[in-house]
Amino acid sequence: MRSLMATPTGWRRDGNLPAELTSFVGRTRLLANLKRHLGESRLVTVTGIGGVGKSRTVLRLAHQVRGLYPDGVWFADLARLQDAGMVRHTIASALGIADQSSRAESETLSEWVGDRDMLLIIDTCEHLVEGCAELVHELLEAAPNLKVLATSRQSLHLPYEQVVPVPPLQVPDDDPMENLFTNESVQLFTARAVAVQPDFVLDEDNINAVAELCRRLDGIPLAIELAAVRLRALSVEQILGLLADRFSLLAGASRTALPRHQTLRAAIGWSHELCEPAERLLWARLSVFAGDFELDAARFVCSDERLPSEDITDLVTGLVEKSILLIRSNHAGVRYKLIDTLAEYGEEWLDKLGQSQVMRHKHLQYYLSLATRSEDAWSGPRQIYWFIRMRQEHDNVRLALEHALRTPGETLMALTLLSSLWFMWVCCGFVREGRLYLERALEANPGVSKERCKALWVLSYVRSAQGDSVGALEAAEACSTEAVRVGDSRAVILASKMQGTAALLQGDLQKASALLGVAIEFNTDNKELNPGLLPAIVELSLVLSAQGEVYEAESLLQDCLQVCRERGELWVGSYAQWAMSLTKLATGRPDEALHSAREGLRVKRHFHDTLGTLLALETTARICVARDQDRVAAVLLGALHQNWKTAGLPMLGAPFLTTDHDQCVKECQKSLGEKAYWAAFEEGGRLDLDEASALALGDLDAPEDPTG
Ligand SMILES: Nc1ncnc2c1ncn2[C@@H]1O[C@H](COP(=O)(O)OP(=O)(O)OP(=O)(O)O)[C@@H](O)[C@H]1O
Ligand SMILES: [Mg+2]
C-alpha cells in the first residue's frame, strides 16, 4: 500500500493512516493476538508470504487501535523504495517531519519522536531488512513511548522483536465443524464476487464449487481476489475447472499440492494469461511507477506504436476491472496503483521484454517535463495547486532522480529536474532532501554547464534555508564563476541574489544590500519574479529594517505585495507580510503588526513552509510581548524552542533575528516572572507547529495558566 502523502499541506498530530478501500473479512483471532502483542512488546513484526494479507491486516488493526495513541498512528510504506539510504528519509517524510536542518537525519527523527506516544507502522521491509532493523532499534532506544509495527516477508532479527506470522485465511475443511457459508475464504470470495457481479449469490448450488476453489487457492487473499474477477465472464465451476487444469499441469504428474508461494505465482500467472496482450504489456510498463500515478502519466510513459496512447484509457479500465490496478480518487483527481505483488511481477516481465531502460527513461522525461511546467507556473495564481500536485508526485520524482543519477548519459537530466523543483526544496519544507540530491547530482556532472550553474544557485538557496550561510556563499560564488565562463547572465544575477542572501544571514548588511540591489536592478523587466526578483526585494527590506530605515523597507514591501496580488503569487507574499509585520512592530504599531503576521501565517499553512512558519511565529511572540500578552508569548517561545530543534538552525543563525529573539525572551521573563515564564514555556514545548500556528492565529486558546 502506498503511503498517502503524510501531510501535504500541514502538520497533523493524529497520523496519516490511508483509508481502507475494500471490505475486510475475518481474522478476528489474529487481530486480537496482534493487539495483545502490541500491548506487551514495543516491536511487532507481521510476517508471511506475498499476498497473504500482511499490509491489509495491519491497516485494519491500525484503524482499530488509533484511539490508544494520543500522538497518532503513522504509516510509512517502503514497498517501492530501492535505495536503502532513503529509508530514514522516507519514514521522516511519512511522519511529515520538517526536512530542514543540516543535522544528521537520525538525530532529527529520534528527536521528533521524542516522548511522543505513538505507533509507527513500517510496511514492506523485506528488501531493506538491515536498514530497517538499524533504524527501528535506534528509534526505540531514543523514544520511550514509541511502538513499531512492521510488515515483512522476513523478520527484522532484533532480539526483542515479537514476530507474528500471518497464515492464509481459513479454508473450508480446516475446521470440519465449520459452516461453509461463514468460512473466511468463502466470505472473501463472495465479497469480491458481488463487486464484479452484483447479482452473485452464494447458495447451495455453488457453495461446494466456491469452497473447492478457495481450497485450491490455499486461502491466499490475493489469489482469491484475482480469481473472483473471472466471474465477469465465467461461472464458478468454469473457473474451478480451468484453475484445476492449470495447477495440475504446474504440479506435474504427481498432482501433489503446490507450495503456497507457487500457488500465488500460478494465480498471478493465470490472471496474466487471461489479460489481453496489450493489457499485459501495459501491466509490465506500469511497474516503472512508484506507488500511484495519474492517467496522463501512464499515457505518456507507456505508449508507443505498440500501445497507442489513445488506447491506454481503456486498457487501464480493463486492468482495474481485473483487480490488477487499484483506483483511488481524492479531491485532486483519480490515481491508479499496481498492487505490490503484481508490480513485482510486472517488473520481471518488463525486464524479460528488455524494455526496462526505455520505460525508465520515459518516466524520467515525463516528470522532468512536469517539473518544468510546475516551475513556470510557480509564480502564478495556481501555486497551491502545483505544490499539492508535485507533492503527490514526490515518490515518482524520487524514483526518476534515482534512475537518472545512476544511468550514464542521463545525469544531466537529474540536474535539470532537481533545479526546476527548487520551490519544493526551498518553499515547501524539503530542504534536506533537495540538498542531498543536488550535491549528488553536481558531483555526477562536473563539467561546467548552464545546468550546473542553475543547480549551484539552487543549492545556495537551499543551504541558506538551513542557515548554512558559509555553504550557501560557497555555492553562490561557484555559480558566479562558472556562469561567467559559460556566459549565462541570468545565473550571474541569481548568484548575486544568493550571495546577498548569505551576506544577510551573516549579518553583513552592507554587502547584502549591495548584492541584493544588483539582483533587483538587473531584473527590472519583471519577467522572472521568482526566485530572483521578489525574494530579493523582501530580503532587501529586511536589510533596510535592520539598518533602521523602516519606512523605506515598508514602501518596498508594499510594492512587492502589490505585484504578488496582481500575479496571484502567495508564497513570497506571505514572506512580505511577515517582513511587514517587522516594520510595523518597529514603528510602534503592534496591532497592525499582528494583522500582517497572521496574514502571512495563514498562507504558509497551505504550503509545508516550516521555515517561514517558524520565522512568523518568532515575530508573533515579540508582538505579543508588545501587546502585553506575555503568557501567550512565553507559550510560543516554548513551542519555538522545541520546533526549531527538528526544523533547523534557530533563527537561521542570523544576527538580526537572534538579537530580537533574545530581547523578546528577556522582556517576557521580566514581565511574567521566572516561574510563570518557565511554566508557560514548558506548556509551549508540547505544541507542534500546527498547534502553535493556531495559537498565533487566535484559533486556539493558550493552555491554562496553572499558577492562576
Ligand atoms: N482479511 C482480508 N479481508 C479482505 N481483503 C483482504 C484481507 N486480507 C488481504 N486482503 C486483500 O488481499 C490482497 C493482498 O493483501 P496484502 O496486500 O495485505 O498482502 P501482503 O501480505 O501485504 O502482500 P505483500 O507481501 O505483497 O506486501 C489485498 O488486495 C488485500 O486488500
Ligand atoms: Mg504488503
Short mmCIF file of all heavy atoms in Angstrom, two decimals, residues 376-417:
data_model
loop_
_atom_site.label_atom_id
_atom_site.label_comp_id
_atom_site.label_asym_id
_atom_site.label_seq_id
_atom_site.Cartn_x
_atom_site.Cartn_y
_atom_site.Cartn_z
N ASP A 376 7.49 26.87 -14.21
CA ASP A 376 6.98 28.01 -14.98
C ASP A 376 5.72 28.59 -14.36
O ASP A 376 5.46 29.79 -14.43
CB ASP A 376 6.67 27.59 -16.43
CG ASP A 376 7.94 27.29 -17.20
OD1 ASP A 376 9.02 27.71 -16.73
OD2 ASP A 376 7.86 26.60 -18.23
N ALA A 377 4.92 27.71 -13.77
CA ALA A 377 3.63 28.17 -13.24
C ALA A 377 3.75 28.68 -11.80
O ALA A 377 2.80 29.24 -11.27
CB ALA A 377 2.62 27.02 -13.29
N TRP A 378 4.90 28.47 -11.20
CA TRP A 378 5.01 28.71 -9.76
C TRP A 378 4.65 30.13 -9.34
O TRP A 378 4.03 30.34 -8.31
CB TRP A 378 6.43 28.33 -9.28
CG TRP A 378 6.59 28.56 -7.82
CD1 TRP A 378 7.32 29.54 -7.22
CD2 TRP A 378 5.97 27.81 -6.76
NE1 TRP A 378 7.21 29.44 -5.85
CE2 TRP A 378 6.38 28.40 -5.55
CE3 TRP A 378 5.11 26.72 -6.72
CZ2 TRP A 378 5.95 27.92 -4.30
CZ3 TRP A 378 4.69 26.25 -5.48
CH2 TRP A 378 5.12 26.84 -4.29
N SER A 379 5.04 31.10 -10.13
CA SER A 379 4.78 32.48 -9.71
C SER A 379 3.35 32.93 -9.99
O SER A 379 3.01 34.08 -9.76
CB SER A 379 5.75 33.43 -10.41
OG SER A 379 7.05 33.13 -10.00
N GLY A 380 2.53 32.05 -10.49
CA GLY A 380 1.18 32.46 -10.87
C GLY A 380 0.12 32.09 -9.84
O GLY A 380 0.44 31.72 -8.71
N PRO A 381 -1.12 32.19 -10.26
CA PRO A 381 -2.24 32.02 -9.33
C PRO A 381 -2.48 30.58 -8.87
O PRO A 381 -3.30 30.37 -8.00
CB PRO A 381 -3.44 32.54 -10.13
CG PRO A 381 -3.04 32.41 -11.56
CD PRO A 381 -1.56 32.56 -11.61
N ARG A 382 -1.80 29.62 -9.47
CA ARG A 382 -2.10 28.24 -9.09
C ARG A 382 -0.97 27.62 -8.26
O ARG A 382 -0.72 26.42 -8.34
CB ARG A 382 -2.40 27.39 -10.33
CG ARG A 382 -3.56 27.96 -11.13
CD ARG A 382 -4.03 27.00 -12.18
NE ARG A 382 -4.80 25.89 -11.59
CZ ARG A 382 -4.91 24.69 -12.16
NH1 ARG A 382 -4.27 24.44 -13.28
NH2 ARG A 382 -5.62 23.74 -11.60
N GLN A 383 -0.34 28.44 -7.47
CA GLN A 383 0.79 27.96 -6.68
C GLN A 383 0.42 26.78 -5.76
O GLN A 383 1.15 25.79 -5.71
CB GLN A 383 1.27 29.12 -5.82
CG GLN A 383 2.75 29.28 -5.82
CD GLN A 383 3.17 30.59 -5.18
OE1 GLN A 383 2.43 31.22 -4.41
NE2 GLN A 383 4.37 31.02 -5.51
N ILE A 384 -0.69 26.91 -5.07
CA ILE A 384 -1.06 25.84 -4.13
C ILE A 384 -1.35 24.55 -4.89
O ILE A 384 -0.93 23.46 -4.48
CB ILE A 384 -2.28 26.25 -3.28
CG1 ILE A 384 -1.88 27.42 -2.38
CG2 ILE A 384 -2.77 25.08 -2.44
CD1 ILE A 384 -2.99 27.96 -1.53
N TYR A 385 -2.03 24.71 -6.03
CA TYR A 385 -2.30 23.53 -6.85
C TYR A 385 -1.00 22.83 -7.21
O TYR A 385 -0.87 21.61 -7.09
CB TYR A 385 -3.05 23.95 -8.12
CG TYR A 385 -3.02 22.90 -9.21
CD1 TYR A 385 -3.93 21.85 -9.20
CD2 TYR A 385 -2.07 22.95 -10.23
CE1 TYR A 385 -3.89 20.87 -10.19
CE2 TYR A 385 -2.03 21.97 -11.22
CZ TYR A 385 -2.93 20.94 -11.19
OH TYR A 385 -2.88 19.98 -12.15
N TRP A 386 0.00 23.59 -7.65
CA TRP A 386 1.26 22.97 -8.08
C TRP A 386 2.01 22.35 -6.92
O TRP A 386 2.68 21.34 -7.06
CB TRP A 386 2.13 23.97 -8.85
CG TRP A 386 1.66 24.04 -10.27
CD1 TRP A 386 0.98 25.06 -10.86
CD2 TRP A 386 1.80 23.02 -11.27
NE1 TRP A 386 0.68 24.74 -12.17
CE2 TRP A 386 1.18 23.50 -12.45
CE3 TRP A 386 2.37 21.75 -11.30
CZ2 TRP A 386 1.12 22.76 -13.63
CZ3 TRP A 386 2.33 21.00 -12.47
CH2 TRP A 386 1.71 21.50 -13.61
N PHE A 387 1.90 22.99 -5.77
CA PHE A 387 2.54 22.39 -4.60
C PHE A 387 1.93 21.02 -4.31
O PHE A 387 2.63 20.02 -4.17
CB PHE A 387 2.40 23.32 -3.38
CG PHE A 387 2.62 22.60 -2.08
CD1 PHE A 387 3.84 21.97 -1.83
CD2 PHE A 387 1.63 22.53 -1.12
CE1 PHE A 387 4.06 21.27 -0.65
CE2 PHE A 387 1.83 21.84 0.06
CZ PHE A 387 3.05 21.21 0.30
N ILE A 388 0.60 20.97 -4.26
CA ILE A 388 -0.06 19.70 -3.94
C ILE A 388 0.22 18.67 -5.03
O ILE A 388 0.52 17.52 -4.75
CB ILE A 388 -1.58 19.91 -3.77
CG1 ILE A 388 -1.83 20.75 -2.51
CG2 ILE A 388 -2.31 18.56 -3.63
CD1 ILE A 388 -3.27 21.13 -2.28
N ARG A 389 0.19 19.11 -6.26
CA ARG A 389 0.44 18.22 -7.38
C ARG A 389 1.83 17.59 -7.30
O ARG A 389 2.00 16.38 -7.42
CB ARG A 389 0.31 19.05 -8.67
CG ARG A 389 0.58 18.35 -9.94
CD ARG A 389 -0.69 17.84 -10.57
NE ARG A 389 -0.42 16.92 -11.66
CZ ARG A 389 -0.41 17.27 -12.94
NH1 ARG A 389 -0.71 18.50 -13.28
NH2 ARG A 389 -0.15 16.37 -13.86
N MET A 390 2.83 18.42 -7.09
CA MET A 390 4.19 17.89 -7.06
C MET A 390 4.43 17.06 -5.80
O MET A 390 5.22 16.13 -5.80
CB MET A 390 5.24 19.01 -7.18
CG MET A 390 5.26 19.70 -8.52
SD MET A 390 5.09 18.60 -9.97
CE MET A 390 6.67 17.74 -9.97
N ARG A 391 3.73 17.42 -4.75
CA ARG A 391 3.84 16.65 -3.52
C ARG A 391 3.29 15.24 -3.75
O ARG A 391 3.82 14.26 -3.27
CB ARG A 391 3.04 17.39 -2.44
CG ARG A 391 3.16 16.88 -1.06
CD ARG A 391 4.54 17.13 -0.48
NE ARG A 391 4.59 16.49 0.83
CZ ARG A 391 5.04 15.27 1.04
NH1 ARG A 391 5.54 14.58 0.05
NH2 ARG A 391 5.00 14.74 2.25
N GLN A 392 2.23 15.18 -4.54
CA GLN A 392 1.65 13.89 -4.85
C GLN A 392 2.58 13.05 -5.71
O GLN A 392 2.55 11.82 -5.66
CB GLN A 392 0.35 14.11 -5.63
CG GLN A 392 -0.80 13.58 -4.89
CD GLN A 392 -2.12 13.92 -5.56
OE1 GLN A 392 -2.20 14.66 -6.54
NE2 GLN A 392 -3.15 13.36 -5.00
N GLU A 393 3.39 13.73 -6.50
CA GLU A 393 4.30 13.01 -7.39
C GLU A 393 5.68 12.82 -6.77
O GLU A 393 6.61 12.39 -7.45
CB GLU A 393 4.44 13.76 -8.72
CG GLU A 393 3.16 13.94 -9.48
CD GLU A 393 2.57 12.62 -9.98
OE1 GLU A 393 3.16 11.55 -9.73
OE2 GLU A 393 1.49 12.66 -10.61
N HIS A 394 5.79 13.15 -5.52
CA HIS A 394 7.11 13.13 -4.87
C HIS A 394 7.81 11.77 -5.04
O HIS A 394 8.99 11.71 -5.39
CB HIS A 394 6.91 13.45 -3.38
CG HIS A 394 8.12 14.05 -2.74
ND1 HIS A 394 8.08 15.08 -1.86
CD2 HIS A 394 9.42 13.73 -2.86
CE1 HIS A 394 9.29 15.39 -1.47
NE2 HIS A 394 10.14 14.57 -2.06
N ASP A 395 7.10 10.68 -4.81
CA ASP A 395 7.73 9.36 -4.91
C ASP A 395 8.18 9.07 -6.34
O ASP A 395 9.24 8.49 -6.56
CB ASP A 395 6.77 8.25 -4.47
CG ASP A 395 6.57 8.28 -2.97
OD1 ASP A 395 7.52 8.64 -2.25
OD2 ASP A 395 5.47 7.95 -2.51
N ASN A 396 7.38 9.48 -7.29
CA ASN A 396 7.78 9.28 -8.68
C ASN A 396 8.98 10.15 -9.05
O ASN A 396 9.87 9.71 -9.78
CB ASN A 396 6.60 9.56 -9.61
CG ASN A 396 5.68 8.35 -9.75
OD1 ASN A 396 6.15 7.25 -10.03
ND2 ASN A 396 4.39 8.54 -9.51
N VAL A 397 8.99 11.35 -8.51
CA VAL A 397 10.14 12.23 -8.77
C VAL A 397 11.41 11.60 -8.20
O VAL A 397 12.46 11.56 -8.85
CB VAL A 397 9.91 13.63 -8.15
CG1 VAL A 397 11.19 14.44 -8.11
CG2 VAL A 397 8.83 14.38 -8.93
N ARG A 398 11.30 11.08 -6.99
CA ARG A 398 12.48 10.44 -6.38
C ARG A 398 12.96 9.27 -7.22
O ARG A 398 14.15 9.13 -7.45
CB ARG A 398 12.12 9.90 -4.99
CG ARG A 398 12.02 10.96 -3.95
CD ARG A 398 11.71 10.33 -2.60
NE ARG A 398 11.44 11.38 -1.64
CZ ARG A 398 10.44 11.37 -0.77
NH1 ARG A 398 9.63 10.35 -0.72
NH2 ARG A 398 10.29 12.37 0.06
N LEU A 399 12.03 8.46 -7.68
CA LEU A 399 12.40 7.30 -8.48
C LEU A 399 13.07 7.75 -9.78
O LEU A 399 14.08 7.18 -10.20
CB LEU A 399 11.15 6.47 -8.78
CG LEU A 399 11.41 5.04 -9.18
CD1 LEU A 399 11.93 4.25 -7.99
CD2 LEU A 399 10.12 4.39 -9.67
N ALA A 400 12.52 8.77 -10.39
CA ALA A 400 13.09 9.29 -11.63
C ALA A 400 14.51 9.82 -11.37
O ALA A 400 15.43 9.58 -12.16
CB ALA A 400 12.21 10.40 -12.19
N LEU A 401 14.68 10.51 -10.26
CA LEU A 401 16.00 11.04 -9.92
C LEU A 401 17.01 9.92 -9.71
O LEU A 401 18.14 9.98 -10.21
CB LEU A 401 15.91 11.86 -8.63
CG LEU A 401 15.46 13.29 -8.77
CD1 LEU A 401 15.21 13.91 -7.41
CD2 LEU A 401 16.51 14.10 -9.53
N GLU A 402 16.59 8.91 -8.96
CA GLU A 402 17.50 7.79 -8.70
C GLU A 402 17.93 7.15 -10.02
O GLU A 402 19.10 6.84 -10.21
CB GLU A 402 16.81 6.72 -7.84
CG GLU A 402 16.49 7.17 -6.41
CD GLU A 402 17.74 7.34 -5.55
OE1 GLU A 402 18.77 6.73 -5.89
OE2 GLU A 402 17.67 8.10 -4.57
N HIS A 403 16.98 6.98 -10.90
CA HIS A 403 17.30 6.39 -12.19
C HIS A 403 18.29 7.26 -12.96
O HIS A 403 19.30 6.80 -13.46
CB HIS A 403 16.03 6.18 -13.01
CG HIS A 403 16.30 5.94 -14.46
ND1 HIS A 403 16.78 4.75 -14.93
CD2 HIS A 403 16.21 6.77 -15.54
CE1 HIS A 403 16.97 4.84 -16.24
NE2 HIS A 403 16.62 6.05 -16.63
N ALA A 404 17.99 8.56 -13.01
CA ALA A 404 18.85 9.46 -13.77
C ALA A 404 20.26 9.49 -13.20
O ALA A 404 21.25 9.50 -13.94
CB ALA A 404 18.25 10.86 -13.77
N LEU A 405 20.36 9.47 -11.87
CA LEU A 405 21.68 9.57 -11.25
C LEU A 405 22.54 8.35 -11.48
O LEU A 405 23.76 8.43 -11.47
CB LEU A 405 21.53 9.83 -9.74
CG LEU A 405 21.16 11.27 -9.38
CD1 LEU A 405 20.79 11.38 -7.91
CD2 LEU A 405 22.30 12.22 -9.71
N ARG A 406 21.90 7.19 -11.67
CA ARG A 406 22.76 6.01 -11.85
C ARG A 406 22.87 5.59 -13.32
O ARG A 406 23.49 4.58 -13.62
CB ARG A 406 22.28 4.85 -10.96
CG ARG A 406 20.93 4.32 -11.28
CD ARG A 406 20.62 2.99 -10.68
NE ARG A 406 19.36 2.61 -11.25
CZ ARG A 406 18.18 2.80 -10.68
NH1 ARG A 406 18.11 3.30 -9.47
NH2 ARG A 406 17.07 2.48 -11.30
N THR A 407 22.29 6.37 -14.22
CA THR A 407 22.34 5.97 -15.62
C THR A 407 23.25 6.89 -16.42
O THR A 407 22.97 8.09 -16.53
CB THR A 407 20.93 6.01 -16.23
OG1 THR A 407 20.05 5.31 -15.36
CG2 THR A 407 20.90 5.37 -17.60
N PRO A 408 24.35 6.34 -16.95
CA PRO A 408 25.25 7.19 -17.73
C PRO A 408 24.48 7.85 -18.87
O PRO A 408 23.62 7.22 -19.48
CB PRO A 408 26.30 6.21 -18.27
CG PRO A 408 26.18 4.98 -17.42
CD PRO A 408 24.79 4.94 -16.89
N GLY A 409 24.76 9.11 -19.08
CA GLY A 409 24.06 9.80 -20.17
C GLY A 409 22.79 10.50 -19.71
O GLY A 409 22.22 11.28 -20.46
N GLU A 410 22.32 10.21 -18.50
CA GLU A 410 21.08 10.86 -18.06
C GLU A 410 21.29 11.74 -16.83
O GLU A 410 20.34 12.32 -16.31
CB GLU A 410 20.00 9.80 -17.77
CG GLU A 410 19.84 8.83 -18.93
CD GLU A 410 18.42 8.33 -19.15
OE1 GLU A 410 17.69 8.17 -18.18
OE2 GLU A 410 18.07 8.11 -20.34
N THR A 411 22.54 11.81 -16.37
CA THR A 411 22.77 12.54 -15.11
C THR A 411 22.47 14.03 -15.25
O THR A 411 22.09 14.68 -14.29
CB THR A 411 24.21 12.35 -14.62
OG1 THR A 411 25.09 12.68 -15.68
CG2 THR A 411 24.46 10.93 -14.17
N LEU A 412 22.63 14.55 -16.46
CA LEU A 412 22.34 15.96 -16.64
C LEU A 412 20.84 16.22 -16.47
O LEU A 412 20.43 17.27 -15.99
CB LEU A 412 22.81 16.42 -18.03
CG LEU A 412 23.14 17.90 -18.16
CD1 LEU A 412 24.23 18.32 -17.20
CD2 LEU A 412 23.53 18.25 -19.59
N MET A 413 20.06 15.24 -16.85
CA MET A 413 18.61 15.39 -16.67
C MET A 413 18.27 15.44 -15.18
O MET A 413 17.33 16.13 -14.76
CB MET A 413 17.86 14.23 -17.33
CG MET A 413 17.80 14.35 -18.86
SD MET A 413 17.17 12.84 -19.61
CE MET A 413 15.41 13.10 -19.52
N ALA A 414 19.03 14.70 -14.37
CA ALA A 414 18.81 14.75 -12.93
C ALA A 414 19.02 16.17 -12.43
O ALA A 414 18.24 16.71 -11.62
CB ALA A 414 19.75 13.79 -12.21
N LEU A 415 20.08 16.78 -12.93
CA LEU A 415 20.40 18.14 -12.52
C LEU A 415 19.26 19.10 -12.88
O LEU A 415 18.85 19.94 -12.08
CB LEU A 415 21.70 18.55 -13.24
CG LEU A 415 22.67 19.47 -12.52
CD1 LEU A 415 22.98 18.99 -11.13
CD2 LEU A 415 23.95 19.62 -13.33
N THR A 416 18.75 18.96 -14.09
CA THR A 416 17.68 19.84 -14.54
C THR A 416 16.40 19.62 -13.74
O THR A 416 15.74 20.56 -13.32
CB THR A 416 17.39 19.60 -16.04
OG1 THR A 416 18.64 19.58 -16.72
CG2 THR A 416 16.52 20.68 -16.61
N LEU A 417 16.07 18.35 -13.53
CA LEU A 417 14.86 18.03 -12.77
C LEU A 417 14.94 18.64 -11.36
O LEU A 417 14.01 19.29 -10.89
CB LEU A 417 14.70 16.50 -12.69
CG LEU A 417 13.57 15.93 -11.83
CD1 LEU A 417 12.23 16.50 -12.24
CD2 LEU A 417 13.52 14.41 -11.95
#
